[in-house]
Amino acid sequence: MSSALETLRRDFGGGIIESGDTEYESASRSVLAPGSPAHVLRPRSVEDVQAAVRFAARTRLSLSVRGGGHGFPGFGTNDGGVVIDLSHLASVEIIDKERHLVRIGGGATWGRVAAALAPHGLAISSGDSNSVGVGGLTLAGGIGWKVRKHGLALDNVAAAELVTASGQVVQANTADNPELFWAIRGGGGNFGIVTAFDFVAHPTTEIFFGTIAFPASQAATVLQGWADYLRTAPDELTSTVAFANPFAGGPEAPVEIHVAFDGDDQQLAAQVIDPIRRLGTVTGDNIALKPYADTLADGTPPSPGIQFMIRNAFVVQESVPEVLQILADVRASERSPAITVRSVGGAVSRVPNHATAYAHRQAELMVMTTTAGPKPAVEAARPALAAIWERLAPHVSGAYANFLTSATEQDVAAIYPAKTYQRLTAVKRRYDPGNLFARNHNIRPQ
Ligand SMILES: Cc1cc2nc3c(=O)[nH]c(=O)nc-3n(C[C@H](O)[C@H](O)[C@H](O)COP(=O)(O)OP(=O)(O)OC[C@H]3O[C@@H](n4cnc5c(N)ncnc54)[C@H](O)[C@@H]3O)c2cc1C
């Protein structure tokens, strides 16, 4: 046994899973990617995380940090390296009742958070699914059902505790290591392992939530009407449109407007939601009052062999009509990917641009395409997808890190405009000069 492994076994109180162990098969993979790491380490304490980081640094093996394991590029695993799987660091604790301050372990999932906060009438703006990790979603953004009212998940972070590449524990907040605090709100897992986040939660009631469906043939008018309405709608309304889903009819798939109205006043909700119902011929409407925790979906992991190709970009107000027209045209073709458009204005746009490393605050919408299937089908879809994005290119900009399957230099440049990247590089040099944390949309130390 190497001396690094001996030291690890001496200092580490968590689980060490290696090939041949009964748990290895499930522990080796992240939700969306297979892997064959040499060691999966499951720390139970901050000290364990320190020991695990020192082990990875000493061995120079490739390091994956796994939060909820839902990252699309499969950063949560690797071949032959070390995985630090944070799933045992999943506590959710209200630490200040008056300020609604909640401390959340770096390996918790959003379903666990929503369920723990519900009895206290609290919630945190997160994403749309139970099983997604607090770590990955928050460190890069966090666009969920309360985004227009309460901002991105990262806008609600008050402080974090990290283990950096040297194995030190540091605090990051507006007073301690403020530049690191800036960087971890948008810069992903580049700067260390977040062992705990302090979030400011928000009082929540039950919310009006569901889907209003329209015929595919009305896509162009429904999409434009939806975007125009959201521009002036109250922030309590967050909404997403999904259409052209190949598994629901492709060109004939209904246009589904998902609606979350953050409140339980029926009259007010109707007033705010009814203009959406008037956008076209409603073919389905299941809006109902629900506990916030029940709005989060239970994703089912994809069958083995199914691959995803996900791309996205942001749209500012002036380009909205053009982009929606292109998407409405594309939807009618047999080779269209599934298309989703999320509203990301409201509270997100009111945070100053330089306040966090998330750089796309002025966008009104985010457009995302999803191609899924066995590898040959996904490969065959590439040219059509490239053609769609070529048409969109003059009218869109940037990218949201959490909805990308790839991690090319082009992707990194789209996520981080040059000035943001430069500032992140300086933080990286200080906290991870050897680029130990590289399995992410990577900020290079130089
Ligand atoms: C079914 C599904 C639904 C989704 N819905 C939404 C949504 O509604 N809104 C949205 O914004 N996004 C959504 N996403 C995207 C999601 O935000 C990303 O996939 C995110 O990276 C998942 O985080 P994770 O911790 O589960 O993944 P992981 O693969 O574990 O981690 C992703 C990245 O974050 C790093 N990381 C994770 N935790 C930590 C930590 N504690 N400290 C340091 N680094 C860490 C990892 O090293 C890795 O680089 C969804 C994804 C899926 C699969």
Side-chain angles (χ1 to χ4, degrees):
M1 198 190 313
S2 75
S3 68
L5 200 52
E6 271 173 31
T7 310
L8 178 75
R9 290 197 193 282
R10 186 193 67 206
D11 296 344
F12 189 73
I16 301 178
I17 303 161
E18 289 163 347
S19 172
D21 293 338
T22 44
E23 274 180 276
Y24 182 77
E25 198 178 323
S26 60
S28 61
R29 56 170 305 125
S30 68
V31 176
L32 298 168
S36 54
H39 316 275
V40 179
L41 310 180
R42 288 200 171 135
R44 293 190 178 277
S45 64
V46 176
E47 292 74 26
D48 285 348
V49 175
Q50 292 179 280
V53 166
R54 288 190 177 121
F55 171 71
R58 233 179 120 183
T59 57
R60 296 174 185 270
L61 291 170
S62 166
L63 171 63
S64 291
V65 176
R66 187 185 297 160
H70 276 62
F72 288 106
F75 293 140
T77 191
N78 59 54
D79 294 321
V82 179
V83 172
I84 302 181
D85 176 340
L86 303 172
S87 53
H88 292 321
L89 300 182
S91 58
V92 182
E93 185 194 351
I94 298 177
I95 55 170
D96 184 333
K97 275 192 182 160
E98 268 173 28
R99 291 172 60 209
H100 303 142
L101 212 52
V102 184
R103 183 157 298 163
I104 301 176
T109 56
W110 283 110
R112 191 180 175 113
V113 174
L117 297 185
H120 304 278
L122 295 173
I124 297 171
S125 186
S126 55
D128 60 16
S129 296
N130 278 315
S131 52
V132 170
V134 171
L137 179 132
T138 303
L139 292 169
I143 300 171
W145 292 126
K146 288 171 179 274
V147 70
R148 293 182 77 246
K149 173 82 173 148
H150 295 298
L152 302 163
L154 60 75
D155 292 328
N156 298 282
V157 175
E161 176 188 78
L162 287 91
V163 174
T164 61
S166 62
Q168 302 296 307
V169 179
V170 300
Q171 306 299 323
N173 52 56
T174 51
D176 302 317
N177 300 302
E179 202 56 12
L180 177 63
F181 186 49
W182 170 83
I184 60 166
R185 289 175 296 157
N190 270 287
F191 310 96
I193 299 186
V194 177
T195 45
F197 292 92
D198 289 354
F199 278 93
V200 179
H202 297 280
T204 192
T205 56
E206 292 195 315
I207 71 170
F208 280 92
F209 184 83
T211 301
I212 303 170
F214 301 90
S217 58
Q218 295 178 1
T221 50
V222 169
L223 286 170
Q224 299 286 0
W226 170 82
D228 288 346
Y229 175 58
L230 272 169
R231 203 163 291 136
T232 55
D235 289 347
E236 280 70 20
L237 181 70
T238 288
S239 184
T240 292
V241 187
F243 52 102
N245 181 352
F247 301 105
E252 300 312 319
V255 177
E256 295 185 325
I257 302 189
H258 304 296
V259 170
F261 174 79
D262 196 3
D264 61 357
D265 180 324
Q266 184 152 18
Q267 222 177 343
L268 199 58
Q271 219 175 314
V272 172
I273 298 170
D274 279 351
I276 293 182
R277 297 186 167 108
R278 291 195 290 268
L279 292 174
T281 312
V282 173
T283 56
D285 182 343
N286 63 6
I287 308 277
L289 196 58
K290 285 186 174 182
Y292 170 72
D294 291 2
T295 66
L296 301 189
D298 287 320
T300 37
S303 319
I306 296 298
Q307 297 207 338
F308 288 87
M309 190 158 57
I310 297 181
R311 278 187 72 169
N312 75 82
F314 291 98
V315 191
V316 294
Q317 183 179 337
E318 306 81 72
S319 303
V320 165
E322 195 75 44
V323 167
L324 295 181
Q325 188 54 56
I326 293 171
L327 295 177
D329 292 350
V330 163
R331 155 217 80 81
S333 78
E334 278 302 329
R335 308 214 70 151
S336 173
I339 301 172
T340 308
V341 186
R342 291 196 182 212
S343 57
V344 287
V348 179
S349 308
R350 288 194 292 272
V351 175
N353 276 337
H354 59 268
T356 69
Y358 177 89
H360 306 284
R361 298 215 172 254
Q362 297 320 313
E364 208 171 79
L365 303 176
M366 186 194 65
V367 173
M368 175 171 119
T369 59
T370 306
T371 310
K375 192 171 179 191
V378 171
E379 289 304 320
R382 270 185 200 278
L385 192 67
I388 293 169
W389 281 100
E390 220 166 280
R391 272 185 79 184
L392 289 171
H395 315 287
V396 299
S397 61
Y400 175 44
N402 275 339
F403 286 133
L404 287 174
T405 33
S406 54
T408 62
E409 286 197 6
Q410 234 180 339
D411 292 325
V412 174
I415 298 164
Y416 304 114
K419 263 192 168 169
T420 309
Y421 188 84
Q422 244 175 5
R423 191 170 163 188
L424 286 168
T425 301
V427 185
K428 181 80 172 175
R429 265 202 295 273
R430 173 150 181 217
Y431 294 95
D432 184 17
N435 205 9
L436 180 67
F437 302 108
R439 292 214 25 98
N440 41 45
H441 288 102
N442 196 225
I443 310 293
R444 299 224 187 91
Q446 51 265 322

